[in-house]
Amino acid sequence: MNQHTRPTLDDVARAAGVSTATVSRCLNAPDRVIAPTRERVMQAVNALGYTPDFGGRALASGRTNTIGAVIPTMDNAIFARGMQAFQETLSSVGVTLLVASSGYDFDREAEQIRALAGRGADGLLLIGSARPATTYDFLRRRGIPYVLAWSLGDSADHFVGFDNRRAAEALATRVIALGHRDIAMIAGVTAMNDRAADRVEGVRAALRQAGRDPASLPIIEAPYSFEDGSNAFAALMQRVPRPTAVICGNDILAVGAIGRAKALGLRVPDDVSVTGFDNIDIAAFVEPALTTVHVPHRRMGVAAAQQLLQMIAGDTADARVEFGTEIVERGSLAAAPV
Amino acid sequence: MNQHTRPTLDDVARAAGVSTATVSRCLNAPDRVIAPTRERVMQAVNALGYTPDFGGRALASGRTNTIGAVIPTMDNAIFARGMQAFQETLSSVGVTLLVASSGYDFDREAEQIRALAGRGADGLLLIGSARPATTYDFLRRRGIPYVLAWSLGDSADHFVGFDNRRAAEALATRVIALGHRDIAMIAGVTAMNDRAADRVEGVRAALRQAGRDPASLPIIEAPYSFEDGSNAFAALMQRVPRPTAVICGNDILAVGAIGRAKALGLRVPDDVSVTGFDNIDIAAFVEPALTTVHVPHRRMGVAAAQQLLQMIAGDTADARVEFGTEIVERGSLAAAPV
DNA sequence: TTGTATGCGTTATCAA
DNA sequence: TTGATAACGCATACAA
C-alpha cells in the first residue's frame, strides 16, 4: 500500500527523466515538445495516474477555467433549459460551471456574485439588468468579465438576450387586433425582475398605441406557479365587465389560467382568450394549446457562453447579441366574442 | 489610477501593521486573534477591498470549498428542483456548486467526473447507481467523497434516495387492485438509467405478485417529453385488447398520454386510467389530475448536501438516507371499466 | 496572542 | 527543444 498522496508534476518528471517544465509543457502546449519525449512523458502521466492539481495551477496561471452563473433559480424551466445549453457549451471547451441562485433577491445576488468571484470564476453570467449600482460597482472594480442574459438593457454592458418589452407589445397588439377591448394581465412578479416588468410595459405600450389608457389595464402579479396563475385568473374573472382576453407574463401562469377557466366553466378561447410567454414544452400541450411568444432559450445559453469565453480570452466580443422572438399562435387565442 | 492587481495578504498585513499570519487567522479563525488587532485588520481588509485568492488558498489548504454534481441534465423538472435545494444548502455554509451533465451517457459522466475532480471538488454528487466499474474505480482511487442520489443501491456506497422499485410496485399493485387486467406501461428510457429500470421492475413485480405473467406487460420506452409520451400512448391503444390502464414511468410521459387520450376521444379514467411518477407541479394541474408517486425532491437535495458535507468534514455519515414515497391518488386512475 | 518561516504544485521566464 | 529557478498567495507548524 502506497501513501495516499496524489502524484505531482515532480513525480512524473522524475519517472520520465525530464524536468517539471517539460511535463507542464506536454500538458499545456504539446507542440512545444518533441514527439519522443512527449510520448515518454505521457506514458509516465498515465502510469502514475497523474492529474494536475487545481490549486497549484490556479495559483500559478491566475486562471481557473471556471465560469460562474447567478440565476434566480434552477427550478424554472426557462433557466433550466438555458443553463443546460450554457453548461454544455462551456464543457465542450473544458470550462466548468459554478452555479449559484439569488431567489430573485438583490442582496443574495450580490452575495453570490462575491462568492463566485472569490471562488476564482474567470467570468460571470447574470440574468437581466435590474440590480443595485453597488453590485455593478463591485463587478467593475473587480474587473471580472460578465454577461447579462435573458434581456437587453440600455447600459454599455454585454447583453445576450431579447427584447421582452417589444415581444410583449407585439403579442398584445395582436390581441387588440382581434377585437379584444376588455383585456387583463397576469404578470410575473416585477419587483427585482426586469424581464417581468418589461413584459408589463410592452402590454401597456400596445394599449397606448391603440389609443387606450394603459392605466386601465387590470394587472395581478403572481409567482411562477400554476396555482398562482389559476387564482389570479379567478380574481380577474370577477371583474365587470369580464375580460375577454388575459395576457399572462409566462406560460406557467397561462396554463394555470386555462385550468381555472375550465373549472369555472368558461370556454377558452370562445369565452376568454389566454396567452403565455416563453413557449416552453407545455405550451403546445395544454388544451387548448397556448398562444405564446417563442424564446430561443437554448440558443441564448450557447451564445452567452461563447460571448463570455471570448471576453475572457481577451477577444473583442460583440457588445450585445439580440435574439428575435416570434408569436406562436395556437388555440388559446381567438377573436373577441361579439 | 492604481495598478489593477488585487491586494494580497501581504498588502493587508502591511496596512494593518501585523504579519500575514495574523491576517490569515482573522479570516479563518477570528477567535484566535485578540479583538483590537482583529478590528484593525478587518478595517484594512475593507479599505483595500481584499478578498483571498482562491488558488493560493486551495493550494495551501488542500480544500476548495467546492462540491461538484454530475446530473443527467438540468433540463428536467426533477433534477432542477433537487439541485436547487442542493445548491441552497451548500451555499448556506459557504460551499459553492460545480455542475456538469452527462446526458444519460456513461462515458460523458466519467469524463465530467474527472473534470470536476480535477477542478478540485471536495466531494461529488452523482445520480443513481448504474455506471461502469471503471468509474467507481476512479472515484475510489481518487479517494474523493461521493454520494449517490435519487435511488438506492446494493453497494456499500452512500445513498440518499428512495426505492424506485418498491414505489412503482406499490402503485402497480393499486392499479391491479382496481380491477385492471390489461395494463401497459410507458417507461422512461432504461438504458443507463437505473431509476427508470427500477420502476419497470417494480411494475413487473406487482404483476408477478398478482399471479400474472410479467412478460406479458406491453412496454414502450420513451424519452422524457410530452410528445414521446403521447406517441407511445397512441401506439399502446392500438393493441387488442386495448389496455385499460397505462402506467407511466414519470409525470411528463403521463401528461403526454392523457393529452393523447383526449385527442383520441378516450375518456380518462372512464375508458383508460393513466398514472405518473414524481408528482411534479403539473401532475395536480392536468385534467384529470394525475395519480402519481410523490417524491420529496427538495428534501433529497438538502439531505444529499448535508451528507456530503459531513463526509468531507470527516464525520461519519449514515451509509444511506432513505426517503419514503407515497401514492397520490387523483382523478386519472379509477376502477377498470366493466 | 502574534510573528517567522516554510511548503503547497504549477506556470513562466530565462538560459543553455 | 529542454532545464533551472523564481514567483504565485496563502495556511500553518513552530517559535517567541
Side-chain angles (χ1 to χ4, degrees):
Chain A
M1 277 301 157
N2 46 15
Q3 278 287 340
H4 215 65
T5 75
R6 289 170 48 197
T8 71
L9 255 199
D10 213 61
D11 297 325
V12 178
R14 208 178 344 260
V18 299
S19 74
T20 60
T22 299
V23 179
S24 177
R25 274 190 285 262
C26 281
L27 268 41
N28 300 311
D31 15 292
R32 304 185 70 78
V33 175
I34 206 166
T37 39
R38 186 175 51 213
E39 225 164 274
R40 200 148 37 93
V41 169
M42 293 316 284
Q43 213 158 350
V45 165
N46 290 326
L48 297 178
Y50 169 78
T51 62
D53 176 80
F54 181 66
R57 176 172 269 189
L59 180 55
S61 71
R63 309 251 274 89
T64 60
N65 281 314
T66 288
I67 283 181
V70 183
I71 60 179
T73 171
M74 288 181 250
D75 193 9
N76 174 314
I78 298 167
F79 301 124
R81 172 153 301 183
M83 290 306 292
Q84 176 61 29
F86 186 71
Q87 187 270 321
E88 288 172 10
T89 306
L90 294 183
S91 169
S92 71
V93 295
V95 171
T96 53
L97 172 64
L98 282 166
V99 303
S101 62
S102 68
Y104 293 98
D105 179 301
F106 289 157
D107 293 337
R108 270 191 61 77
E109 188 194 41
E111 195 180 295
Q112 300 295 320
I113 288 173
R114 255 172 246 275
L116 295 190
R119 239 1 134 269
D122 293 333
L124 246 33
L125 174 75
L126 304 176
I127 303 298
S129 57
R131 56 181 56 80
T134 52
T135 301
Y136 284 110
D137 288 345
F138 172 82
L139 253 12
R140 284 192 268 268
R141 262 204 316 276
R142 183 84 182 213
I144 187 171
Y146 63 93
V147 162
L148 309 183
W150 266 252
S151 76
L152 297 168
D154 308 318
S155 65
D157 294 308
H158 287 259
F159 285 95
V160 174
F162 58 97
D163 193 325
N164 283 278
R165 187 182 189 282
R166 195 157 35 127
E169 180 176 349
L171 177 60
T173 297
R174 173 72 182 132
V175 171
I176 293 169
L178 283 169
H180 291 278
R181 297 202 56 83
D182 296 305
I183 298 173
M185 181 165 189
I186 305 176
V189 177
T190 58
M192 315 206 192
N193 183 334
D194 50 288
R195 286 86 60 212
D198 284 351
R199 292 176 188 184
V200 170
E201 268 318 298
V203 173
R204 287 208 176 106
L207 288 172
R208 201 174 301 117
Q209 192 67 26
R212 314 261 267 280
D213 179 14
S216 70
L217 174 73
I219 296 190
I220 295 182
E221 293 195 4
Y224 193 80
S225 83
F226 296 123
E227 198 179 342
D228 289 296
S230 169
N231 292 337
F233 182 84
L236 287 174
M237 289 303 106
Q238 304 282 14
R239 297 184 64 91
V240 181
R242 205 178 64 200
T244 62
V246 176
I247 296 175
C248 301
N250 59 61
D251 289 345
I252 296 291
L253 292 176
V255 170
I258 287 179
R260 190 56 161 265
K262 287 182 193 164
L264 292 173
L266 292 171
R267 294 164 306 164
V268 179
D270 308 85
D271 297 322
V272 56
S273 285
V274 174
T275 65
F277 202 116
D278 288 331
N279 195 26
I280 60 177
D281 289 350
I282 198 179
F285 226 81
V286 281
E287 252 304 304
L290 202 51
T291 289
T292 188
V293 176
H294 177 73
V295 176
H297 294 291
R298 280 196 59 91
R299 282 170 55 212
M300 273 197 310
V302 171
Q306 292 169 336
Q307 184 92 339
L308 223 26
L309 290 170
Q310 276 183 40
M311 292 169 67
I312 292 169
D315 303 358
T316 53
D318 299 334
R320 51 176 58 210
V321 179
E322 175 165 5
F323 285 96
T325 56
E326 58 187 53
I327 298 175
V328 181
E329 288 217 36
R330 300 202 186 94
S332 72
L333 172 66
V338 283
Chain B
M1 277 299 160
N2 47 16
Q3 277 287 341
H4 217 64
T5 73
R6 288 170 50 198
T8 71
L9 254 200
D10 213 61
D11 297 324
V12 179
R14 206 177 347 257
V18 298
S19 74
T20 60
T22 300
V23 179
S24 177
R25 276 189 284 261
C26 281
L27 269 40
N28 299 312
D31 15 294
R32 304 186 72 79
V33 174
I34 205 167
T37 40
R38 187 175 51 214
E39 225 164 275
R40 202 148 36 93
V41 169
M42 294 315 283
Q43 212 158 352
V45 165
N46 291 325
L48 296 177
Y50 169 78
T51 62
D53 176 81
F54 180 68
R57 174 172 272 189
L59 181 56
S61 71
R63 308 251 275 88
T64 60
N65 281 313
T66 291
I67 283 182
V70 184
I71 60 178
T73 170
M74 289 181 249
D75 193 9
N76 176 314
I78 299 167
F79 301 124
R81 173 155 297 184
M83 291 306 292
Q84 175 62 28
F86 186 71
Q87 186 270 320
E88 287 171 10
T89 307
L90 294 183
S91 169
S92 70
V93 295
V95 171
T96 53
L97 172 63
L98 282 166
V99 302
S101 61
S102 68
Y104 294 99
D105 179 301
F106 288 156
D107 293 337
R108 269 190 63 77
E109 189 194 40
E111 194 180 295
Q112 301 294 320
I113 288 173
R114 256 172 245 274
L116 295 190
R119 237 5 135 266
D122 293 332
L124 245 33
L125 174 75
L126 305 176
I127 304 297
S129 58
R131 54 181 57 80
T134 51
T135 300
Y136 284 110
D137 288 345
F138 172 82
L139 253 12
R140 283 192 268 268
R141 261 205 317 276
R142 183 85 182 214
I144 186 171
Y146 63 92
V147 161
L148 309 183
W150 266 252
S151 75
L152 297 168
D154 308 317
S155 66
D157 294 308
H158 288 260
F159 286 95
V160 175
F162 59 97
D163 193 325
N164 283 279
R165 188 180 187 285
R166 193 154 38 120
E169 180 176 349
L171 178 60
T173 298
R174 174 72 183 130
V175 171
I176 293 168
L178 283 169
H180 292 278
R181 298 202 55 82
D182 296 304
I183 298 173
M185 181 165 189
I186 304 177
V189 177
T190 56
M192 316 208 191
N193 182 335
D194 49 290
R195 286 86 61 212
D198 284 351
R199 292 176 188 184
V200 170
E201 268 318 299
V203 173
R204 288 211 175 104
L207 289 172
R208 201 175 299 118
Q209 193 67 23
R212 313 263 267 280
D213 178 14
S216 70
L217 174 72
I219 296 190
I220 295 182
E221 293 196 4
Y224 194 79
S225 83
F226 296 123
E227 198 179 342
D228 287 296
S230 168
N231 291 338
F233 182 83
L236 288 174
M237 288 303 107
Q238 304 283 13
R239 298 183 64 93
V240 181
R242 205 178 62 201
T244 61
V246 175
I247 295 174
C248 301
N250 58 62
D251 289 346
I252 296 292
L253 292 175
V255 171
I258 287 179
R260 190 57 161 263
K262 288 181 192 165
L264 292 172
L266 292 171
R267 293 165 306 164
V268 179
D270 308 86
D271 297 322
V272 56
S273 285
V274 174
T275 65
F277 201 116
D278 287 331
N279 195 26
I280 60 177
D281 288 350
I282 198 178
F285 226 82
V286 280
E287 254 302 304
L290 203 53
T291 288
T292 187
V293 176
H294 178 73
V295 177
H297 294 291
R298 281 196 58 92
R299 283 169 54 213
M300 274 197 311
V302 171
Q306 291 169 336
Q307 183 91 341
L308 223 25
L309 290 169
Q310 275 183 41
M311 293 169 68
I312 292 170
D315 303 359
T316 52
D318 298 334
R320 52 177 58 209
V321 179
E322 175 165 4
F323 286 97
T325 57
E326 57 187 54
I327 298 175
V328 181
E329 288 216 35
R330 300 202 186 95
S332 72
L333 172 65
V338 284

